[in-house]
Amino acid sequence: AQSVAQPEDQVNVAEGNPLTVKCTYSVSGNPYLFWYVQYPNRGLQFLLKYITGDNLVKGSYGFEAEFNKSQTSFHLKKPSALVSDSALYFCAVRDSGAAGNKLTFGGGTRVLVKP
Amino acid sequence: GAVVSQHPSRVICKSGTSVKIECRSLDFQATTMFWYRQFPKQSLMLMATSNEGSKATYEQGVEKDKFLINHASLTLSTLTVTSAHPEDSSFYICSAGQPNTEAFFGQGTRLTVV
């Protein structure tokens, strides 16, 4: 069975500082990895994905993530955080052998960017 | 990106009544859609996979008679919470996507049963 772990419930960072949200995964086949962001009482917005190719993936709103196969990690990063980045972030994985877009989510990490 | 629309965004109902939530893919056809439930400050829990033209596949522990799913067309799936009780109050989210792409999510539905 596939699983995703986000070890930090909350990350606090000052505006302008680098932001990192950690994610590790476990799948039986090749992983399809995703990051989503959720604002209060909203659905999830897609940020970026890794399917294959370059390990460094660039996504929306200045976010990027690095796929590390040996460490089974897919950490989300942003060089300079904004107050508006404060939200709930989810890492998700889809096993390449799975049909459709059925995702397994991590527990979520709340990001708080302070002015 | 693809758009998934979910309606209503918020609903309050009396205990014992049923509530229907709609999930539409606006600019693509979706043979499969997914329904999730999210408790406050928690992650998304997959409830069921909605399959166009066939029965939904429910995750372990999810009552299929309680949460009725209908996927009658390639752009619409509905989730009906039957005989709702206060413990069914939650945030329900649907998702859909074309094969081998990212999933797109509806705006979510905040259900409150009083």
Side-chain angles (χ1 to χ4, degrees), chain B residues 53-65:
Chain B
S54 64
K55 293 182 179 179
T57 306
Y58 289 83
E59 296 298 303
Q60 190 173 7
V62 177
E63 300 177 61
K64 62 180 181 181
D65 295 330

Side-chain angles (χ1 to χ4, degrees), chain A residues 13-93:
Chain A
V13 64
E15 187 174 32
N17 281 2
L19 169 64
T20 298
V21 186
K22 296 179 180 178
C23 171
T24 58
Y25 66 89
S26 174
V27 296
S28 56
N30 293 320
Y32 290 2
L33 295 158
F34 305 85
W35 275 102
Y36 288 86
V37 60
Q38 184 182 33
Y39 295 96
N41 292 311
R42 297 288 186 182
L44 275 65
Q45 294 179 28
F46 169 75
L47 284 178
L48 50 79
K49 66 182 177 184
Y50 172 82
I51 304 297
T52 186
D54 291 341
N55 289 341
L56 184 63
V57 179
K58 293 188 181 297
S60 305
Y61 314 119
F63 284 94
E64 58 187 32
E66 185 168 9
F67 171 66
N68 188 316
K69 188 173 182 178
S70 63
Q71 297 185 3
T72 61
S73 67
F74 190 56
H75 301 330
L76 180 70
K77 300 180 180 182
K78 186 170 184 178
S80 178
L82 301 173
V83 172
S84 57
D85 293 327
S86 298
L88 188 57
Y89 290 79
F90 290 101
C91 181
V93 66

